[in-house]
Amino acid sequence: MSVLSRFTPRPAPTPGGLSMFDPVALGIDENTTPVRIGLAYRNILLAGEPGSGKSGGLNNIVAHAALSLDCRLWLMDGKRVELGLWRSCADRFVGADIAEALDTLAALQVEMDRRYDDLDAAGARKIAPGGEPLIVLVVDEVAYYSATTGDRKQRDAFAMLLRDVVARGRAAGIITVAATQRPSHDIIPTSLRDLFGYRLAFRCTTETSSDIVLGHGWAARGADASLIDTADRGVGWLLAEGGLPRRIRCAYLDDSTITAIASYAAELRGGEE
């Protein structure tokens, strides 16, 4: 394949019925209107206290990516069990190993640089539908890699590599989806957190925590995730297209449904040429 042909728009492959250039279904809003967001050329941060429903939002995004054959799925999960059910259809899966996490991000950085070299040579500005596959990087519990495991040098290196991927990856077709309980500066450096254009805040313990997720001042204007009832798992404030937060409820995928989707996605991906 020539360099130019990688960036010549062609119809995107959709054997699974989905494409990463299609809007991703998350759930419904307060008017029961379906909520979908376009994640191509975007990054999203999900945060909220334990049990607030982050995994529901995360699994909806991963399910869409798994069934989209125009993307590659890279998963990182220090606990292994939240994203582990998707392992069969993932191109890469990293568990509780900071060294492997660093190697994976470094490999992604190399791939990103290669893509920019090819884009430059082709006179193109970004990956187009039907060109090189997008890469969806999903990091669950960022805090495990950035603040808990390994030594300080490794944790700092993880944050630095992830920041570069988020900052430069969009035009190269790299979508970063990150989840954590509270994205404070000691967990996700402010310089990294501010790079996420899309935010999804599930229940938080305080108004300040809600503003850390969505951005300063939104709680005072009514978008306060600390006011979400503890019983309302999966409910959150989504800041995406339009620039105004809206309250939504994410669809819930149980373990058997995830296993079935992952198995089907693995079959589809196994049949790729």
Side-chain angles (χ1 to χ4, degrees):
M1 178 183 291
S2 70
V3 169
L4 181 60
S5 66
R6 292 193 185 113
F7 308 106
T8 302
R10 304 186 303 277
T14 56
L18 295 176
S19 164
M20 276 313 297
F21 289 93
D22 294 333
V24 176
L26 288 180
I28 58 173
D29 65 15
E30 293 183 295
N31 298 314
T32 70
T33 302
V35 175
R36 298 181 177 87
I37 58 172
L39 282 182
Y41 314 120
R42 300 288 185 177
N43 301 298
I44 185 169
L45 174 66
L46 301 84
E49 66 180 29
S52 60
K54 291 191 304 296
S55 61
L58 207 60
N59 282 323
N60 280 290
I61 295 172
V62 176
H64 185 105
L67 294 171
S68 300
L69 298 191
D70 55 359
C71 85
R72 298 289 175 262
L73 189 57
W74 292 32
L75 305 179
M76 304 179 72
D77 180 5
K79 292 187 297 184
R80 292 174 291 174
V81 295
E82 291 295 339
L83 297 177
L85 293 177
W86 298 104
R87 190 192 301 250
S88 64
C89 59
D91 294 272
R92 292 203 182 200
F93 185 91
V94 178
D97 187 332
I98 184 65
E100 185 181 3
L102 291 173
D103 287 346
T104 298
L105 287 181
L108 189 56
Q109 191 178 51
V110 169
E111 171 65 12
M112 177 173 63
D113 289 336
R114 181 194 66 77
R115 291 185 175 207
Y116 275 120
D117 286 342
D118 288 350
L119 283 168
D120 185 39
R125 297 179 61 188
K126 62 184 180 181
I127 300 291
E132 289 212 52
L134 303 183
I135 297 174
V136 178
L137 171 67
V138 183
V139 185
D140 190 30
E141 287 307 337
V142 175
Y144 179 80
Y145 301 104
S146 66
T148 304
T149 192
D151 57 36
R152 181 169 182 175
K153 182 178 179 180
Q154 289 174 311
R155 295 192 294 269
D156 289 347
F158 178 87
M160 180 186 68
L161 285 167
L162 185 59
R163 181 167 59 243
D164 184 41
V165 169
V166 176
R168 296 195 296 129
R170 294 192 306 155
I174 300 171
I175 300 165
T176 302
V177 181
T180 190
Q181 292 181 20
R182 188 177 189 269
S184 53
H185 68 88
D186 55 327
I187 302 299
I188 301 180
T190 304
S191 60
L192 168 58
R193 186 179 69 228
D194 289 347
L195 294 173
F196 287 90
Y198 287 1
R199 314 285 183 90
L200 180 48
F202 296 90
R203 176 174 167 76
C204 297
T205 54
T206 66
E207 179 180 311
T208 300
S209 294
S210 180
D211 271 355
I212 287 175
V213 183
L214 293 175
H216 180 70
W218 280 118
R221 285 179 275 179
D224 185 356
S226 72
L227 299 179
I228 297 173
D229 193 281
T230 54
D232 289 337
R233 295 189 62 184
V235 172
W237 285 96
L238 173 67
L239 180 63
E241 289 100 340
L244 295 174
R246 54 174 170 163
R247 188 177 165 112
I248 71 167
R249 180 184 293 276
C250 289
Y252 175 69
L253 302 178
D254 61 23
D255 287 356
S256 61
T257 302
I258 292 173
T259 300
I261 295 173
S263 177
Y264 178 59
E267 290 182 14
L268 289 174
R269 289 171 173 271
E272 288 183 276
E273 295 182 0

